[in-house]
Amino acid sequence: MKSETPLSAPLRWVLPLMGMLQGGVIYLLNRTTDLFSTPAEHGWLLFVLAGSMALSSALIFAARSLRQPLLWLGIAALLLLVAAQCAWLVHALQGLDTWDQRDALRGYVLTLSGLLFLTLPWLQSRLEAGRWGDFPSLFRLYWHNGLALLLSLLATGLSWLVLWLCASLFSLIGIDFFNTLFFDNRAFIHIFTGCIVAMTVTLCRSNPRLMLSVQHLLTLVATGLLPAVGAVMVLFMLALPGVGMEAISRQISGAGLLNTLCLLYLLLMALVWYPGRDAPPYMPLMRRLLLGALLFAPVCALLAAWAVWLRVAQYGWTPDRLYAALITVVSLLWSVGYVISLARQRRSDSDFSRTGKVVLMVAPLFMALVYTPILNPWRLSVHSQMARIEADKTRLDSATITMLSNSLRWGREALRTLQDDPAIQGNPALRRLIKEALSGRVTPGSTAGPDEFRQIPLAAPQPQPEPAFWATLAKQYVWRARDCLPENGVSSCMLLAQDLNGDGQPEWILFNFSMRSAFVMSKQGGAWQGVGYFYTLPKTLDASTLRKIAQSSRLTTLPQPWRDLSIDGERLPFAAERE
């Protein structure tokens, strides 16, 4: 390994100052405007935040001297990328309300942080090794950068613990100066935290041999974990044929769990079979077993791809599903690359460096393209959902409207198109949901009171619910019942009293015909609370049909701890509220 050039003396002073400057920038942005709700017309503030993050991160992690032209060229390239992404994001935020902007900006800052973590080692490697893509250097730098961040978190926590102890001790004797300085002064909080992080990273970079020792220690931990994770993956794959693929398709988080298992195994493989290792790890039999288990990794990634595609085929693309698809592509690329490397070399001391470099190029490329027109998850998702709705208007529900409202300007344009659709205008509940989504309410319908909900009609001649029921519905469950509010005197919902648990006290069932579901409230311990749902109402059930059935013997309960409903001979299963 090429000996590292020590940090220059001036740089050791500059880097903590850069951390303090970064903290000061964040503080000033918070003073001038809410950091994560910057209006689109002031989008240059977004570039100040993102650009300062890129500049300070590059200097703190990559600089060894301020007289490195390649360092400044790399920083200039990062700033150009950040400027392009910020310009695109400001364009995407045009016309959005504060809450939509806040969520989008938080997501961008998190993505930029990950992008910087994945790209800076390439610049560091070029500055140290003198050439691009030296994998042993890349591997070491990723290790050391990750360890530096972990130690920075630890040092920051310990530093604030010391400050808290100091403030508490002096407050004990009536001196609140330190408590005010440390915890009520926002400028001190940001600047002090930035300084501690930068100082810790500087100390880590100044002691590479110590970092190498910590790396070797954690490599031993990974060496112990790898067989356990490999056993879990093999056992899962062997058990899967016995239970069938349907078990995965029923789980919403199936793709996430499969990708986590696959990526964890591959990451541990990379840590254990690190480049330049003097001797192969493990005993020969264990090595063969672990390398053989590697064959299951592509299968695991393919199962994750199938789980993602199943959800897309059922419900269309969303930003989250697109992110899951990109992660699955990385899992497939990584696992297949490792298997190909193993097949070509046919030996236990396999070299996976070529696959490692490809993965370390593809992953940051995906993260960079997400905030560009090339790979725009919001536009792709909106087009997918609109195609589904165009094919079948009954697919439009509150979840789809929420997704569209969170899809930046493309989602708002789609909601305006739906608002003018004649088929949607005939549905008061959907029309209200779209209107509230476009109006930018954080909790649509939150201004409705008990009197507004009293206008929901009853399905049978029964006494009206007690005032406490209406008060609880309006205060605690307005987000579930908001589309039941009458519009022009017409409600898309209906209330029915029925004893569902055999305690002699009737529960109130709120039938929502637009959403094709029902919400159940029960009086427990003297207070009303939501206890569960009936999902998927019969297709033929509407308000008039329910009124006729409720007044006849065709509506009964079926015995269970919480009973199901039978409506005109069709069983409606009850789904209990989860704690």
Side-chain angles (χ1 to χ4, degrees):
M1 181 184 71
K2 183 178 178 178
S3 61
E4 297 184 4
T5 305
L7 301 183
S8 63
L11 190 63
R12 295 173 187 267
W13 293 98
V14 170
L15 296 186
L17 292 177
M18 283 299 304
M20 298 173 66
L21 179 62
Q22 178 66 64
V25 168
I26 297 176
Y27 166 73
L28 290 176
L29 288 177
N30 273 321
R31 289 279 296 180
T32 55
T33 181
D34 191 340
L35 181 59
F36 291 115
S37 60
T38 304
E41 59 268 20
H42 299 125
W44 62 272
L45 292 174
L46 175 60
F47 175 74
V48 172
L49 171 64
S52 64
M53 286 178 57
L55 175 61
S56 60
S57 299
L59 288 175
I60 291 173
F61 282 95
R64 293 198 169 273
S65 171
L66 297 178
R67 299 178 179 179
Q68 292 177 289
L70 186 59
L71 169 68
W72 296 106
L73 286 175
I75 291 176
L78 283 174
L79 292 178
L80 285 176
L81 174 63
V82 167
Q85 290 180 326
C86 290
W88 178 87
L89 186 57
V90 169
H91 168 73
L93 292 175
Q94 292 288 342
L96 267 67
D97 60 89
T98 299
W99 289 95
D100 290 332
Q101 291 185 22
R102 184 170 299 177
D103 292 339
L105 293 175
R106 281 200 185 104
Y108 174 65
V109 169
L110 289 175
T111 303
L112 179 61
S113 301
L115 179 61
L116 291 172
F117 179 79
L118 291 175
T119 54
L120 283 178
W122 289 86
L123 178 59
Q124 294 173 262
S125 176
R126 177 63 179 84
L127 292 172
E128 292 182 11
R131 63 181 186 276
W132 293 103
D134 181 63
F135 189 71
S137 176
L138 281 173
F139 184 87
R140 175 177 50 81
L141 289 167
Y142 275 110
W143 251 115
H144 290 189
N145 288 359
L147 290 175
L149 288 176
L150 290 176
L151 292 174
S152 298
L153 292 176
L154 178 62
T156 302
L158 292 175
S159 300
W160 278 107
L161 181 62
V162 171
L163 294 184
W164 170 81
L165 179 62
C166 173
S168 299
L169 286 173
F170 279 93
S171 296
L172 191 64
I173 58 177
I175 300 176
D176 294 328
F177 169 78
F178 292 103
N179 186 72
T180 303
L181 173 64
F182 297 155
F183 299 102
D184 295 338
N185 188 341
R186 304 294 296 179
F188 178 86
I189 293 173
H190 288 92
I191 294 174
F192 177 77
T193 302
C195 181
I196 292 298
V197 171
M199 287 178 62
T200 307
V201 174
T202 303
L203 288 173
C204 292
R205 294 185 61 203
S206 302
N207 296 274
R209 294 186 180 278
L210 180 60
M211 298 294 287
L212 196 60
S213 300
V214 178
Q215 175 187 336
H216 287 164
L217 177 62
L218 294 180
T219 300
L220 293 177
V221 176
T223 303
L225 288 175
L226 181 58
V229 177
V232 170
M233 184 167 64
V234 171
L235 290 174
F236 176 79
M237 291 300 171
L238 294 178
L240 188 59
V243 298
M245 300 286 286
E246 294 78 9
I248 295 178
S249 64
R250 290 194 297 266
Q251 300 297 323
I252 297 177
S253 58
L257 292 174
L258 290 167
N259 275 324
T260 300
L261 176 62
C262 180
L263 291 174
L264 179 59
Y265 186 76
L266 294 172
L267 178 61
L268 291 174
M269 284 285 295
L271 297 181
V272 173
W273 267 271
Y274 57 85
R277 186 172 186 127
D278 296 332
Y282 305 109
M283 299 295 290
L285 178 59
M286 179 61 73
R287 283 201 304 271
R288 293 188 181 93
L289 290 175
L290 291 174
L291 292 174
L294 183 61
L295 299 176
F296 288 97
V299 180
C300 192
L302 286 172
L303 287 174
W306 173 77
V308 172
W309 179 250
L310 189 64
R311 287 285 177 251
V312 171
Q314 290 175 327
Y315 307 110
W317 286 102
T318 64
D320 288 341
R321 292 185 188 119
L322 182 60
Y323 300 147
L326 295 177
I327 293 172
T328 305
V329 170
V330 174
S331 298
L332 273 171
L333 181 65
W334 197 351
S335 58
V336 171
Y338 268 22
V339 171
I340 292 175
S341 298
L342 183 63
R344 283 181 175 179
Q345 297 170 59
R346 298 181 181 276
R347 52 194 175 95
S348 59
D349 55 339
S350 299
D351 181 13
F352 301 118
S353 59
R354 182 175 300 178
T355 300
K357 284 194 291 187
V358 173
V359 171
L360 291 176
M361 286 190 291
V362 171
L365 179 63
F366 282 162
M367 298 183 76
L369 292 180
V370 162
Y371 285 91
T372 65
I374 300 174
L375 193 61
N376 182 345
W378 298 277
R379 178 174 54 83
L380 295 174
S381 300
V382 168
H383 288 174
S384 173
Q385 295 298 326
M386 291 299 289
R388 292 179 67 252
I389 296 169
E390 193 65 28
D392 184 2
K393 291 294 193 298
T394 61
R395 291 174 174 172
L396 182 63
D397 53 16
S398 59
T400 305
I401 292 173
T402 301
M403 192 282 293
L404 293 175
S405 68
N406 293 329
S407 296
L408 308 188
R409 64 181 303 161
W410 299 277
R412 296 185 70 85
E413 292 170 359
L415 288 174
R416 293 191 185 98
T417 301
L418 292 173
Q419 193 177 34
D420 298 332
D421 191 300
I424 305 301
Q425 290 181 346
N427 189 319
L430 291 178
R431 190 169 64 247
R432 181 186 300 109
L433 286 175
I434 295 174
K435 181 179 178 181
E436 290 174 345
L438 288 172
S439 69
R441 294 189 195 177
V442 178
T443 307
S446 58
T447 57
D451 292 338
E452 285 83 352
F453 285 106
R454 290 178 195 271
Q455 303 176 45
I456 300 174
L458 301 182
Q462 299 170 322
Q464 282 278 343
E466 59 186 57
F469 169 85
W470 298 114
T472 303
L473 185 66
K475 183 177 180 180
Q476 298 183 22
Y477 301 104
V478 61
W479 58 278
R480 287 173 175 165
R482 61 179 181 268
D483 49 342
C484 294
L485 294 172
E487 186 170 328
N488 298 326
V490 179
S491 174
S492 62
C493 301
M494 188 168 282
L495 275 168
L496 176 67
Q498 189 77 23
D499 183 9
L500 298 178
N501 60 351
D503 63 353
Q505 299 294 326
E507 279 70 44
W508 281 103
I509 308 171
L510 182 63
F511 288 86
N512 189 325
F513 301 108
S514 296
M515 300 295 109
R516 311 307 303 168
S517 63
F519 174 56
V520 181
M521 291 184 63
S522 176
K523 195 170 187 179
Q524 306 284 330
W528 287 95
Q529 63 183 30
V531 293
Y533 308 86
F534 293 108
Y535 292 117
T536 315
L537 297 180
K539 295 182 179 180
T540 58
L541 185 65
D542 55 18
S544 60
T545 305
L546 179 63
R547 184 174 282 111
K548 293 177 183 178
I549 294 174
Q551 299 176 18
S552 67
S553 60
R554 292 181 293 165
L555 190 149
T556 59
T557 60
L558 301 177
Q560 278 185 3
W562 287 96
R563 299 179 184 179
D564 295 344
L565 284 181
S566 176
I567 299 180
D568 200 15
E570 184 172 348
R571 190 185 187 99
L572 192 61
F574 176 80
E577 178 87 317
R578 295 182 178 180
E579 294 295 337

